Coordinates of all heavy atoms in Angstrom, one line a residue:
A660 N 12.0 -34.4 -30.3 CA 10.9 -33.7 -29.7 C 10.2 -34.6 -28.7 O 9.7 -34.1 -27.7 CB 9.9 -33.4 -30.8
H661 N 10.3 -35.9 -28.8 CA 9.7 -36.8 -27.9 C 10.6 -37.2 -26.7 O 10.1 -37.7 -25.7 CB 9.2 -38.1 -28.6 CG 7.9 -37.9 -29.3 ND1 6.7 -37.8 -28.7 CD2 7.7 -37.8 -30.7 CE1 5.7 -37.6 -29.6 NE2 6.3 -37.6 -30.8
T662 N 11.9 -37.0 -26.9 CA 12.8 -37.4 -25.8 C 13.3 -36.2 -25.0 O 14.1 -36.3 -24.1 CB 14.1 -38.1 -26.4 OG1 14.7 -37.3 -27.4 CG2 13.7 -39.4 -27.0
G663 N 12.9 -35.0 -25.4 CA 13.2 -33.8 -24.7 C 14.5 -33.2 -25.1 O 15.0 -32.2 -24.4
V664 N 15.2 -33.7 -26.1 CA 16.5 -33.1 -26.6 C 16.2 -31.8 -27.3 O 15.4 -31.8 -28.2 CB 17.2 -34.1 -27.5 CG1 18.5 -33.4 -28.0 CG2 17.5 -35.4 -26.8
P665 N 16.8 -30.7 -26.9 CA 16.5 -29.4 -27.6 C 16.8 -29.5 -29.1 O 17.8 -30.1 -29.5 CB 17.5 -28.4 -26.9 CG 17.8 -29.0 -25.6 CD 17.8 -30.5 -25.9
V666 N 16.0 -28.9 -29.9 CA 16.2 -28.8 -31.4 C 16.0 -27.3 -31.8 O 15.3 -26.6 -31.0 CB 15.2 -29.7 -32.1 CG1 15.4 -31.1 -31.8 CG2 13.7 -29.3 -31.8
P667 N 16.5 -26.9 -32.9 CA 16.4 -25.5 -33.3 C 14.9 -25.1 -33.4 O 14.1 -25.9 -34.0 CB 17.1 -25.5 -34.7 CG 18.1 -26.6 -34.6 CD 17.4 -27.7 -33.8
D668 N 14.6 -23.9 -33.0 CA 13.3 -23.4 -33.1 C 12.2 -24.4 -32.5 O 11.2 -24.6 -33.2 CB 12.9 -23.0 -34.5 CG 11.9 -21.9 -34.6 OD1 11.6 -21.3 -33.6 OD2 11.4 -21.7 -35.8
K669 N 12.6 -24.9 -31.4 CA 11.8 -26.1 -30.9 C 10.3 -25.7 -30.7 O 10.0 -24.6 -30.2 CB 12.4 -26.5 -29.5 CG 11.7 -27.8 -29.0 CD 12.4 -28.2 -27.7 CE 11.8 -29.5 -27.2 NZ 10.4 -29.4 -26.8
L670 N 9.4 -26.6 -31.0 CA 8.0 -26.4 -30.7 C 7.7 -26.3 -29.3 O 8.4 -26.9 -28.4 CB 7.2 -27.6 -31.3 CG 7.3 -27.8 -32.8 CD1 6.7 -29.1 -33.2 CD2 6.7 -26.7 -33.6
T671 N 6.8 -25.5 -28.9 CA 6.4 -25.3 -27.5 C 5.3 -26.3 -27.1 O 4.3 -26.3 -27.8 CB 5.9 -23.9 -27.2 OG1 7.0 -23.0 -27.5 CG2 5.5 -23.7 -25.8
E672 N 5.5 -27.1 -26.2 CA 4.5 -28.0 -25.7 C 4.2 -27.6 -24.3 O 5.0 -27.5 -23.4 CB 5.0 -29.5 -25.7 CG 5.1 -30.1 -27.0 CD 5.3 -31.6 -26.9 OE1 4.9 -32.2 -25.9 OE2 5.9 -32.2 -27.9
S673 N 2.9 -27.4 -24.0 CA 2.4 -27.0 -22.7 C 1.0 -27.3 -22.6 O 0.2 -27.3 -23.5 CB 2.6 -25.4 -22.6 OG 1.9 -25.0 -21.4
D674 N 0.6 -27.7 -21.4 CA -0.8 -28.0 -21.1 C -1.6 -26.7 -21.0 O -2.9 -26.8 -21.0 CB -0.9 -28.8 -19.8 CG -0.4 -30.2 -20.0 OD1 -0.4 -30.7 -21.1 OD2 0.0 -30.8 -19.0
T675 N -1.0 -25.6 -20.9 CA -1.7 -24.3 -20.7 C -1.7 -23.4 -21.8 O -2.6 -22.5 -22.0 CB -1.1 -23.6 -19.4 OG1 0.3 -23.3 -19.7 CG2 -1.2 -24.4 -18.2
R676 N -0.7 -23.5 -22.8 CA -0.7 -22.7 -23.9 C 0.1 -23.3 -25.0 O 1.0 -24.1 -24.8 CB -0.1 -21.3 -23.6 CG 1.4 -21.3 -23.2 CD 1.9 -19.9 -23.0 NE 3.4 -20.0 -22.9 CZ 4.1 -18.9 -22.8 NH1 3.6 -17.7 -22.8 NH2 5.4 -19.0 -22.6
W677 N -0.2 -22.8 -26.2 CA 0.6 -23.2 -27.4 C 1.1 -21.9 -28.1 O 0.4 -20.9 -28.1 CB -0.3 -24.0 -28.4 CG 0.3 -24.0 -29.8 CD1 1.3 -24.9 -30.2 CD2 0.1 -23.2 -30.9 NE1 1.6 -24.7 -31.5 CE2 0.9 -23.6 -31.9 CE3 -0.8 -22.1 -31.1 CZ2 0.9 -23.0 -33.2 CZ3 -0.8 -21.4 -32.3 CH2 0.1 -21.9 -33.4
L678 N 2.4 -22.0 -28.5 CA 2.9 -20.8 -29.2 C 3.5 -21.3 -30.5 O 4.1 -22.4 -30.6 CB 4.0 -20.2 -28.4 CG 3.6 -19.5 -27.0 CD1 4.8 -18.9 -26.3 CD2 2.6 -18.4 -27.3
P679 N 3.4 -20.5 -31.6 CA 4.0 -20.8 -32.8 C 5.5 -20.6 -32.8 O 6.0 -19.9 -32.0 CB 3.3 -19.8 -33.8 CG 3.1 -18.6 -33.0 CD 2.7 -19.2 -31.6
T680 N 6.2 -21.2 -33.7 CA 7.6 -21.0 -33.9 C 7.8 -19.7 -34.7 O 6.8 -19.2 -35.4 CB 8.3 -22.1 -34.6 OG1 7.7 -22.2 -35.9 CG2 8.1 -23.4 -33.9
I681 N 9.0 -19.1 -34.7 CA 9.2 -17.9 -35.5 C 9.0 -18.2 -37.0 O 8.4 -17.4 -37.7 CB 10.7 -17.4 -35.3 CG1 10.8 -16.8 -33.8 CG2 11.1 -16.4 -36.3 CD1 12.2 -16.3 -33.5
S682 N 9.4 -19.4 -37.4 CA 9.2 -19.7 -38.9 C 7.7 -19.8 -39.2 O 7.3 -19.4 -40.3 CB 9.9 -21.0 -39.2 OG 9.4 -22.1 -38.5
E683 N 6.9 -20.2 -38.3 CA 5.5 -20.3 -38.6 C 4.9 -18.9 -38.6 O 4.0 -18.6 -39.5 CB 4.8 -21.1 -37.5 CG 5.0 -22.6 -37.6 CD 4.5 -23.4 -36.5 OE1 4.5 -22.9 -35.3 OE2 4.2 -24.6 -36.7
V684 N 5.3 -18.0 -37.8 CA 4.8 -16.6 -37.8 C 5.3 -15.9 -39.1 O 4.6 -15.2 -39.8 CB 5.3 -15.8 -36.6 CG1 4.9 -14.3 -36.7 CG2 4.7 -16.4 -35.3
Q685 N 6.6 -16.2 -39.5 CA 7.1 -15.7 -40.8 C 6.2 -16.2 -42.0 O 5.9 -15.4 -42.9 CB 8.5 -16.1 -41.0 CG 9.5 -15.5 -40.1 CD 10.9 -16.1 -40.2 OE1 11.1 -17.2 -40.5 NE2 11.9 -15.2 -39.9
R686 N 5.9 -17.4 -41.9 CA 5.1 -18.0 -43.0 C 3.7 -17.4 -43.1 O 3.1 -17.2 -44.1 CB 5.0 -19.5 -42.8 CG 4.3 -20.3 -44.0 CD 4.8 -21.7 -44.0 NE 4.8 -22.4 -42.7 CZ 3.7 -23.0 -42.2 NH1 2.6 -23.0 -42.9 NH2 3.8 -23.6 -41.0
T687 N 3.1 -17.1 -41.9 CA 1.8 -16.5 -41.8 C 1.8 -15.1 -42.4 O 1.0 -14.7 -43.2 CB 1.3 -16.5 -40.4 OG1 1.3 -17.8 -39.8 CG2 -0.2 -16.0 -40.4
L688 N 2.9 -14.4 -42.1 CA 3.0 -13.0 -42.6 C 3.2 -13.1 -44.2 O 2.6 -12.3 -44.9 CB 4.2 -12.3 -42.0 CG 4.5 -10.9 -42.6 CD1 3.4 -9.9 -42.2 CD2 5.9 -10.4 -42.0
D689 N 3.9 -14.1 -44.6 CA 4.2 -14.2 -46.1 C 2.9 -14.6 -46.9 O 2.9 -14.6 -48.1 CB 5.3 -15.3 -46.3 CG 6.7 -14.7 -46.0 OD1 6.8 -13.5 -45.8 OD2 7.6 -15.6 -45.8
S690 N 1.9 -15.0 -46.1 CA 0.7 -15.5 -46.8 C -0.1 -14.4 -47.5 O -1.0 -14.7 -48.3 CB -0.2 -16.3 -45.8 OG -0.8 -15.4 -44.9
T691 N 0.2 -13.2 -47.2 CA -0.5 -12.1 -47.8 C 0.4 -10.9 -48.2 O 1.4 -10.8 -47.6 CB -1.6 -11.5 -46.9 OG1 -2.4 -10.5 -47.5 CG2 -1.0 -11.0 -45.6
G692 N 0.0 -10.2 -49.2 CA 0.7 -9.0 -49.6 C -0.1 -7.8 -49.3 O 0.3 -6.7 -49.6

């Protein structure tokens, strides 16, 4: 993540926006029934 080598479901780093990973969105959906 610090050397710029791509990793699966890589975190988005940007000075203008932040986006969650798919796994984070899945986990958020799973937080409620």
Side-chain angles (χ1 to χ4, degrees):
H661 282 286
T662 57
V664 177
V666 294
D668 207 11
K669 187 178 184 297
L670 298 171
T671 299
E672 283 191 27
S673 170
D674 290 335
T675 59
R676 69 174 184 174
W677 163 82
L678 294 179
T680 62
I681 289 179
S682 62
E683 286 171 331
V684 174
Q685 290 172 331
R686 185 155 50 86
T687 306
L688 178 65
D689 287 343
S690 71
T691 184

